[in-house]
Amino acid sequence: MLTFLVLLLAYVLSQFFRAFLAIVAGDLARDLGLDARQLGDLSAIWFATFAVAQFPVGVALDRFGARVTIAGFMVLAVAGAGWFAAVTGFNGALGAMALIGIGCSPVLMGSLYVFGRAYPPERFAMLVSLMIGFGSAGNLLGAAPLAWAVAAVGWRTSMLVIAGVTALSCLLIAVLLHEPPRPSAVQRPDGSRAGLRDLLRLRALWLMVPLTLVGYAFVIAIRSLWIAPFLQQTHGFDAVARGEAALAMAASMSIGALAYGPVERMLGSAKATVAVGSALTALPMAALGLFGHLSGTVSVLLFAAIGGFGMTYGILMAHARTFFPPELLGRGVTLMNFVFIAGAGVVQWISGRFVKATTDAGWPPADTFSALHLGFAAALAASTAVYLMTPARPPEQRRA
């Protein structure tokens, strides 16, 4: 239990850092002179550095274990958060977000590594769902509570407080995290390239790639970047109202992540759970694109539905985990997480440029966001169709 709680605090902070920009976007635009493209770049660089760091993280987990890997990387998140509180321009903010992304990169994967080593495979999906569900409290903190804090003491002081909490979490990981036993019955690969080649030979993972790229990316792009600008520009929501709407979406994400574990056990199939959940996510995305401009209240409800249904991440990771050899568990989960987070970074980067380009072309905000949400819905539906061709379980399990 102590191990779970220590990891949970770190993951709460990781979730906060990937979502907080939506709330302080207006302040950053005012104080640092940033436009929509630059705000998209700030969010994208977090995901890009987080994604690239997955490769050294995977090797470090398999070689050194979770405690050293997580604590070592999180020092960079502390430095990045402190730097962000003091930035005076775009380049400084970009560098700070890059450091935070690298520092947060091993938190969830280290947790999955611990679960995979310490618990039987049939408990993996439930543990991941619990971690993501409770960890999504970071999304909650990065919504209305952050908006209240920013209104009270400003965004710089708020970020300094978060830097201090991150330092405390890093210390707790270093001192209290219990390292699980490592496999001894199998030969561990000598190098990261050999292990990566073995993983890339798994055909099932390639069929998961399209959904892995966009399924989480669209949800987090809406929550971390576009929910607040959409509600401000289309429906005139003020800062507190935008924060409360983001809080509603974050709460639904937490509830959805918690619910997916029991749903997966009830259906008895990770694949079926992910496929149904992804289809149910595409529907409110399409509705938001078609009808979101008509009502602010309806839009908030649709955002909440997207958040709740869209948290298939943990179950999709559990599905992929069944195909990983034991000696490649660390590299396997970090490879999949690279695809998840790289997709999120690319979506943030492209969507920022799309919004900037259509705004410069004179599109009304309602038209810009309608096209954005409809594009998300169409791509999610197409990737779900590809995922349906993925085997439900590895060949040896099917034979058994």
Side-chain angles (χ1 to χ4, degrees), residues 41-64:
D41 288 348
L42 288 184
S43 189
I45 196 65
W46 188 97
F47 287 98
T49 55
F50 187 110
V52 171
Q54 294 306 300
F55 295 106
V57 164
V59 174
L61 286 172
D62 284 330
R63 290 187 178 178
F64 307 116

Side-chain angles (χ1 to χ4, degrees), residues 52-186:
V52 171
Q54 294 306 300
F55 295 106
V57 164
V59 174
L61 286 172
D62 284 330
R63 290 187 178 178
F64 307 116
R67 182 168 60 86
V68 171
T69 301
I70 298 174
F73 274 78
M74 281 191 71
V75 172
L76 299 179
V78 177
W83 183 10
F84 193 91
V87 296
T88 57
F90 172 68
N91 289 335
L94 201 67
M97 289 298 290
L99 270 186
I100 296 171
I102 296 171
C104 292
S105 62
V107 174
L108 181 59
M109 295 304 99
S111 302
L112 269 58
Y113 177 90
V114 172
F115 300 156
R117 290 276 184 254
Y119 298 96
E122 59 269 17
R123 296 186 62 186
F124 186 82
M126 179 62 75
L127 288 167
V128 174
S129 294
L130 290 174
M131 176 60 71
I132 294 176
F134 288 123
S136 295
N139 263 328
L140 301 177
L141 293 175
L146 177 60
W148 301 331
V150 170
V153 299
W155 64 272
R156 295 185 186 274
T157 301
S158 300
M159 288 302 299
L160 280 177
V161 172
I162 291 296
V165 177
T166 306
L168 173 62
S169 176
C170 182
L171 179 62
L172 291 175
I173 291 287
V175 174
L176 298 178
L177 180 62
H178 176 70
E179 193 72 54
R182 301 188 190 181
S184 56
V186 293

Side-chain angles (χ1 to χ4, degrees), residues 138-287:
N139 263 328
L140 301 177
L141 293 175
L146 177 60
W148 301 331
V150 170
V153 299
W155 64 272
R156 295 185 186 274
T157 301
S158 300
M159 288 302 299
L160 280 177
V161 172
I162 291 296
V165 177
T166 306
L168 173 62
S169 176
C170 182
L171 179 62
L172 291 175
I173 291 287
V175 174
L176 298 178
L177 180 62
H178 176 70
E179 193 72 54
R182 301 188 190 181
S184 56
V186 293
Q187 178 65 39
R188 293 162 61 194
D190 294 328
S192 60
R193 291 183 180 177
L196 183 60
R197 284 196 299 268
D198 289 341
L199 291 168
L200 293 179
R201 293 191 185 104
L202 298 173
R203 177 178 177 272
L205 298 188
W206 287 102
L207 293 171
M208 297 181 188
V209 163
L211 186 57
T212 306
L213 275 172
V214 304
Y216 175 74
F218 293 156
V219 176
I220 198 62
I222 291 171
R223 166 60 191 91
S224 67
L225 194 57
W226 298 122
I227 183 173
F230 168 80
L231 292 172
Q232 178 185 22
Q233 297 172 26
T234 305
H235 297 294
F237 281 33
D238 62 21
V240 173
R242 297 195 300 271
E244 291 171 346
L247 178 64
M249 183 175 182
S252 71
M253 291 170 70
S254 182
I255 294 169
L258 287 170
Y260 268 119
V263 169
E264 188 269 344
R265 299 188 75 170
M266 179 181 68
L267 293 180
S269 169
K271 176 183 175 180
T273 305
V274 171
V276 172
S278 299
L280 291 175
T281 306
L283 291 175
M285 277 186 186

Side-chain angles (χ1 to χ4, degrees), residues 324-352:
F324 300 148
E327 69 274 17
L328 294 176
L329 176 60
R331 270 163 272 202
V333 294
T334 51
L335 174 63
M336 288 301 292
N337 203 44
F338 167 79
V339 180
F340 275 114
I341 302 302
V346 170
V347 167
Q348 307 262 1
W349 186 82
I350 292 175
S351 62

